[in-house]
Amino acid sequence: MYSDATFSRTSQHSLVVTFAWMVVGLLISAITSIVFLASGLVYYVFTSRFLSIALMLAQIGIAIYFSSVLSYASSGKLKGLFVLYAITLGISLTPICLSYGLGTISLAFIVTAIYFACLAVVGMTTKKDLTKLGTICLSGLFALIITQGLLALFRIPMSTRMICMIGLLLFTGITAWDMNRLTRLSSFSMVDQDRFSIYMALELYLDFINIFLYILRLLGNRRDS
């Protein structure tokens, strides 16, 4: 049997590790984008349809492989996949440096950090199980993705601002749900804390990135170049 104090220490350790790896992922993506932009390689990758598609497929492949080996892979292997994913996503995010001014990007990041922190507090302090909310938001997200795909396929115009508002609303619910289940599940001793922390770090990392992108688009100030 484990005491409440043991559960508390386990939960706190898992939370610290999760947030630490989420921050590491964000730093890796940011540094990758800066280096990639400074090297000029961004122009070669994103003017080549083959390389752009290969990069997208690589991210999908890493995410699928991460999920498939989560139950038995070592924490070291999961950390390696997490870092690799953060690098590839950092490359994908590089064009925003060309599309938006530094001031807009900085403001979007600050707003995202504050917004994310508020959601984290709500998710961690609420006593309600937000699983139902998370399921609804995930379903809505899939519907939004399919809708955007169909609109693009048939070239039907739709307000970018409306899509961003809907996406931000959905990820608000998803982030609160992720924080809620992180708090609830991290206290159980039967959970492999290292693997669980890396998994949740990836989830929160993706939540943060998506919220940041939606806020960035809402703020606008996109460069014509």
Side-chain angles (χ1 to χ4, degrees):
M1 296 291 293
Y2 289 83
S3 65
D4 292 339
T6 301
F7 280 144
S8 179
R9 288 195 298 271
T10 301
S11 178
Q12 290 174 5
H13 173 74
S14 181
L15 290 173
V16 170
V17 173
T18 298
F19 282 116
W21 271 101
M22 187 196 81
V23 172
V24 167
L26 293 173
L27 287 174
I28 290 174
S29 294
I31 293 172
T32 300
S33 291
I34 293 172
V35 172
F36 208 69
L37 181 64
S39 67
L41 292 174
V42 61
Y43 299 102
Y44 295 100
V45 173
F46 293 100
T47 53
S48 170
R49 177 174 294 184
F50 172 77
L51 292 177
S52 298
I53 294 176
L55 182 61
M56 180 184 66
L57 292 177
Q59 292 171 11
I60 295 174
I62 294 171
I64 293 175
Y65 184 66
F66 185 99
S67 300
S68 66
V69 302
L70 178 62
S71 61
Y72 60 85
S74 66
S75 61
K77 184 174 184 177
L78 294 178
K79 290 174 183 177
L81 290 171
F82 179 85
V83 170
L84 183 59
Y85 189 90
I87 291 174
T88 59
L89 192 55
I91 296 174
S92 295
L93 293 175
T94 305
I96 70 172
C97 299
L98 301 173
S99 301
Y100 297 90
L102 179 60
T104 304
I105 294 174
S106 300
L107 178 60
F109 184 86
I110 293 172
V111 172
T112 302
I114 296 173
Y115 190 75
F116 188 89
C118 293
L119 292 176
V121 171
V122 171
M124 293 173 65
T125 56
T126 183
K127 295 181 180 180
K128 294 183 178 180
D129 186 349
L130 301 181
T131 301
K132 186 175 182 180
L133 173 63
T135 303
I136 293 173
C137 288
L138 282 176
S139 300
L141 180 61
F142 286 130
L144 179 63
I145 293 173
I146 293 173
T147 300
Q148 285 184 270
L150 291 174
L151 291 174
L153 180 62
F154 294 102
R155 298 182 180 180
I156 302 174
M158 183 176 180
S159 172
T160 301
R161 198 171 191 83
M162 181 184 297
I163 292 176
C164 289
M165 289 297 294
I166 295 173
L168 183 58
L169 181 62
L170 291 173
F171 271 100
T172 295
I174 292 172
T175 302
W177 170 51
D178 282 338
M179 289 304 310
N180 182 249
R181 62 184 176 136
L182 169 62
T183 305
R184 288 187 295 106
L185 295 177
S186 62
S187 62
F188 290 96
S189 60
M190 69 283 295
V191 177
D192 187 320
Q193 294 299 323
D194 286 337
R195 287 186 297 181
F196 176 73
S197 295
I198 298 301
Y199 167 71
M200 289 308 303
L202 180 61
E203 292 282 306
L204 295 177
Y205 161 83
L206 290 174
D207 292 342
F208 189 99
I209 291 293
N210 278 283
I211 289 174
F212 167 72
L213 291 175
Y214 282 123
I215 289 177
L216 181 62
R217 290 169 188 147
L218 285 172
L219 289 176
N221 294 332
R222 186 181 179 92
R223 294 172 178 168
D224 291 337
S225 59

